[in-house]
Amino acid sequence: GIQVEQSPPDLILQEGANSTLRCNFSDSVNNLQWFHQNPWGQLINLFYIPSGTKQNGRLSATTVATERYSLLYISSSQTTDSGVYFCACTSGTYKYIFGTGTRLKVLA
Amino acid sequence: NAGVTQTPKFQVLKTGQSMTLQCAQDMNHNSMYWYRQDPGMGLRLIYYSASEGTTDKGEVPNGYNVSRLNKREFSLRLESAAPSQTSVYFCASSVVQGTQYFGPGTRLLVL
């Protein structure tokens, strides 16, 4: 099955800094999603992005399916961005494989 | 809209006890999922239901059963709980080939 690797595993930023999170996957994918898990454990979908580029406010994501990676950009980070960011992929339709996440802490 | 709801929020079981985790969604989604999340790890798919009346195994189905009661509800049953099933359980729903929306989770401790 698909292997999903995320980097870096941990990231500490000062408020206002920018960051790039990476998701590598071992096989071609039909679906790819980015999620944010806040410090209270709630999972929020950020992007559904099997290919191309999308932007939502300070967040944007790019998936290059032919190169088997996706990037999540966070600009002007805020303390509320803290938490864990997960990438999840499937080569089919339903069997998503999650990466182990990037744990982000934004300092005031 | 409540989105995806899960009950209970927290449960403690003794080894060998059984329980059912409930999940309901009000977004008219066809697809529903059950995941478990162990400390420091990503989510792993237990079972999914592509549409009402169908269920299929995910990555870690052993020790679990599911029922897609109707389009709204998807339950997860532990017939004989084991300490290895201590985890946080998340239910999710989506349209086919669409964004997944997650419930708040159920924290399960098996002693």
Side-chain angles (χ1 to χ4, degrees), chain A residues 57-100:
Chain A
R58 296 182 295 104
L59 302 181
S60 63
T62 295
T63 297
V64 184
T66 54
E67 300 290 328
R68 298 182 182 170
Y69 71 88
S70 183
L71 302 174
L72 178 68
Y73 305 97
I74 305 174
S75 64
S76 303
S77 59
Q78 301 176 357
T79 56
T80 52
D81 295 331
S82 296
V84 185
Y85 290 81
F86 290 107
C87 165
C89 312
T90 177
S91 59
T93 303
Y94 304 104
K95 288 188 177 182
Y96 280 89
I97 302 296
F98 277 68
T100 52

Side-chain angles (χ1 to χ4, degrees), chain A residues 12-29:
Chain A
I12 300 175
L13 299 174
Q14 286 296 131
E15 203 168 25
N18 302 328
S19 62
T20 301
L21 283 58
R22 188 177 180 100
C23 172
N24 291 334
F25 41 93
S26 61
D27 205 346
S28 59
V29 297

Side-chain angles (χ1 to χ4, degrees), chain A residues 38-61:
Chain A
N38 66 23
W40 297 271
Q42 185 180 11
L43 281 154
I44 305 296
N45 62 78
L46 299 175
F47 294 102
Y48 175 83
I49 186 167
S51 63
T53 297
K54 290 186 178 180
Q55 181 157 6
N56 184 3
R58 296 182 295 104
L59 302 181
S60 63

Side-chain angles (χ1 to χ4, degrees), chain B residues 16 25 50 71-72:
Chain B
Q25 53 93 7
K71 191 171 186 179
R72 291 187 63 248

